[in-house]
Structure formats: structure tokens, C-alpha cells
Amino acid sequence: MAAIQFQNLPDTQQQQKETLPHLGLVCITISQQVRFRTMTRTRYLKLSDVQRESALRELYQHNLQRLHDALSFCQNNKIQLYRMSSALFPLSDMEDEIGANILEEISADLGKIGERSQALGIRMVLHPDQFVVLSSDSPEVVQTSIKILERHARTLDLLGLPRSPWSLMNIHGGKSQRSEQLIKVISELPEAIKNRLTLENDEYAYSGSEILAVCQQAEIPMVFDAHHHICHEKLDSYDDPSVASMLDAARATWANPEWQLVHISNGETAFDDRKHSDLITAMPNVYYEVPWIEVEAKHKEEAIANLRSWWLMGQ
């Protein structure tokens, strides 16, 4: 197993090693312990209304139980950050509102999950899918994106999770060179969305500095992704000075710095490979300063355990 590359830390960062940042599980486990079911739109549209209701009701109940299982897995493995799947309740944003109505009917069950997560001290967050593009030049795409976010926000409300970046909904900037449009759309979003919304830099359309400027003007937090940053800027180290600068600037966008959340991933075949590796073998030294880190590695819980093992051995 490759060694984690945390070398030559300044004294202050050596002291910060005493407290491990909260490492987050993303959606499912590499094992079969946390898995969810879904249904395609194509299959759904072939069903009658009665069949749709029956199929979605059974599917949602199944995924609710799996969400309980996810919390149990996090509890047993001392994981205090969990990113829920954006496909947890598929087709709940359909115009027939069958799925949306079912979620309202089972709101008590959803509320129990939210209560349990808070009792366990597990922070639950969400990353809506790539179809959410608030900066699109198509009004139809923007409206569809807002509708998707409204559905996610309602689910978070039903879970009883706060309307704040503690229970964030994180998205990318979307279509490039549309910062003004993005800021305008965000300013007009309903409270249930805007108060939870965060933006993340990416490898293609929005650099760290560009998404930072949007977050500053829209007054929402920035989720910094170091790997996206090095790919976009064509850097050869996570410890390039710009990584620390961006991390500090991103922290300033969080009203509560103790809630700051970042992403970590490594390249699969090379340092700047955009595809994610199985484990994390390199991470910015400045990430010691961050309280919450989502681990975006293919081997999920194994990557988290690997990081923790290294951390403990380094004490």
C-alpha cells in the first residue's frame, strides 16, 4: 500500500494531527452493506398510475431502510459525515407527483431518520446530479434544475435537517462564463434551497478563483476540491501555494468556519488524472486545518480506513 504523502509539516500542522478531520462516506460502500435501488424513467413511464404508486412506495420504503443501514454503518465505523445519494427517492420530481405525494405520506418515517442522524452526530449532506445547471443559457434547463433542487430541499425538510450549510446541497457552476447568470439565479432561489446551497470548483468550467468570486457575490459557501484545482491549473503537487490560498479563501465564505467542508480525491493513473483512484495516497498538508472532508475514492470505506490507519501510525 502506498504511503500517504504528508511530509515536512510545519509545527502548527504537526499539532493539528492530534485531531483527525471528519472523513465522509460518499453514498454507498464498496461492500454490499450500503446499497440503494432505483428505477429508470423509461421503465416508470411504461407503468399505469396504480403500478407507479405501488412500485415507488415499495422502492422508497426499501431505500429508507437502506438509509437507516447507512447511518448504522457510519455509527459502527465512527464516520460522522455521510453524503446521501441524489437518487435516494428516484422520480419524486415527476409531473404526476406520485412520488412526491408518497414522500409526504411517509414524512414521519423520514423524520425519524433525521432525528437519528442528529442524535448520532452524523452530518448528512447531498450532491445533486449533473443535470442541475443553474447557469444554463436555456430557461427550460434552469427551471428544471430549480425543480430538482426544490425536490431535494423538500426531502431534507422532511428529514428534519436544518436549512443551513450544515445540511448542504452542493453543485458545480455549470456552463462556463455565465457567472452573472449564476449569481442572479441563486439570488432568486427559495430559502429552503439557497440557505443550504454550496458551490464547488471543477476541472473544466469554473476554476477555484472563479467559483470563489461567485460564492462571495452570491453569499453562499464554497466547497473546495483540491484535485479539481490541480487538474484545472495543471499543477504537479497538492502543496502548491495556490492550494493553501484557495482553501483559506474558501473558508472565509463559510459563516461558521467549523462547518467548512472540502473534497479529496487522487488521480487513478497519474497525479492529474481526472478519474478517481481506489484509495487516497496523497492529500494537501493544509487539509489538516479542515474539519470535514468528503473522501471521493472508489473504495469508499476502505479509503477512509486507510487514511485513519496512516493517521494513527503517524501519531
Side-chain angles (χ1 to χ4, degrees):
M1 182 181 297
I4 311 296
Q5 298 170 8
F6 293 114
Q7 301 167 349
N8 302 319
L9 294 180
D11 290 342
T12 54
Q13 289 181 328
Q14 290 284 4
Q15 294 171 4
Q16 287 168 340
K17 286 179 64 178
E18 296 176 3
T19 304
L20 179 65
H22 299 298
L23 303 176
L25 175 66
V26 175
C27 301
I28 63 173
T29 54
I30 188 65
S31 70
Q32 293 296 314
Q33 290 182 264
V34 179
R35 293 298 169 106
F36 300 93
R37 286 170 44 193
T38 189
M39 178 185 292
T40 66
R41 181 185 178 90
T42 300
R43 179 190 166 197
Y44 182 78
L45 293 176
K46 292 179 180 178
L47 302 177
S48 67
D49 285 352
V50 172
Q51 291 172 323
R52 291 176 183 181
E53 180 175 356
S54 176
L56 288 188
R57 191 177 298 278
E58 193 276 332
L59 176 58
Y60 291 0
Q61 288 291 354
H62 177 274
N63 284 356
L64 273 178
Q65 183 55 55
R66 297 293 79 76
L67 191 54
H68 271 298
D69 294 344
L71 290 179
S72 296
F73 181 89
C74 289
Q75 178 187 19
N76 294 337
N77 290 276
K78 297 180 173 57
I79 295 172
Q80 291 182 277
L81 173 62
Y82 177 62
R83 182 201 290 181
M84 291 178 284
S85 168
S86 63
L88 189 62
F89 301 115
L91 306 166
S92 61
D93 59 349
M94 295 289 289
E95 291 184 0
D96 60 20
E97 297 189 346
I98 292 174
N101 290 336
I102 291 172
L103 290 180
E104 296 294 331
E105 291 174 22
I106 62 174
S107 60
D109 294 330
L110 284 161
K112 290 176 183 177
I113 291 179
E115 290 174 3
R116 186 176 178 220
S117 72
Q118 294 181 69
L120 294 173
I122 297 173
R123 182 180 182 182
M124 300 177 75
V125 299
L126 190 65
H127 196 328
D129 61 34
Q130 72 273 17
F131 299 113
V132 174
V133 184
L134 296 180
S135 57
S136 175
D137 50 14
S138 165
E140 292 77 16
V141 171
V142 173
Q143 287 306 309
T144 297
S145 299
I146 294 173
K147 182 179 179 181
I148 292 171
L149 291 176
E150 285 176 335
R151 184 64 258 161
H152 287 315
R154 181 55 184 160
T155 298
L156 294 176
D157 281 347
L158 291 173
L159 286 165
L161 300 178
R163 291 184 174 183
S164 74
W166 175 260
S167 304
L168 62 82
M169 296 193 296
N170 183 57
I171 63 173
H172 293 285
K175 190 173 178 62
S176 63
Q177 300 181 340
R178 298 272 294 173
S179 294
E180 291 185 7
Q181 162 74 4
L182 183 55
I183 294 165
K184 181 179 184 298
V185 172
I186 290 173
S187 70
E188 298 170 352
L189 290 173
E191 173 189 317
I193 299 174
K194 185 179 180 182
N195 287 1
R196 293 180 172 117
L197 195 67
T198 62
L199 290 178
E200 174 188 353
N201 58 300
D202 63 79
E203 313 103 303
Y204 305 105
Y206 285 88
S207 67
S209 58
E210 288 171 327
I211 214 68
L212 172 66
V214 172
C215 288
Q216 290 171 333
Q217 294 180 61
E219 299 183 331
I220 62 172
M222 173 181 172
V223 170
F224 178 60
D225 188 307
H227 193 67
H228 288 170
H229 178 71
I230 65 98
C231 289
H232 189 282
E233 303 300 324
K234 298 179 172 58
L235 304 176
D236 59 6
S237 171
Y238 283 128
D239 292 322
D240 184 275
S242 65
V243 175
S245 297
M246 284 305 313
L247 181 70
D248 288 342
R251 180 179 297 120
T253 65
W254 290 78
N256 185 343
E258 295 302 311
W259 289 0
Q260 184 186 19
L261 183 149
V262 301
H263 292 172
I264 186 61
S265 58
N266 291 166
E268 183 177 47
T269 60
F271 180 70
D272 59 353
D273 185 356
R274 290 173 170 81
K275 295 181 181 179
H276 292 176
S277 60
D278 293 341
L279 301 173
I280 302 298
T281 57
M283 192 158 70
N285 288 335
V286 291
Y287 267 27
Y288 280 112
E289 306 169 13
V290 181
W292 302 89
I293 303 175
E294 284 189 30
V295 179
E296 295 187 319
K298 291 180 180 178
H299 282 193
K300 309 287 185 175
E301 72 274 22
E302 293 178 7
I304 293 174
N306 182 50
L307 281 170
R308 282 183 174 158
S309 294
W310 180 89
W311 195 287
L312 293 173
M313 288 189 294
Q315 295 299 310

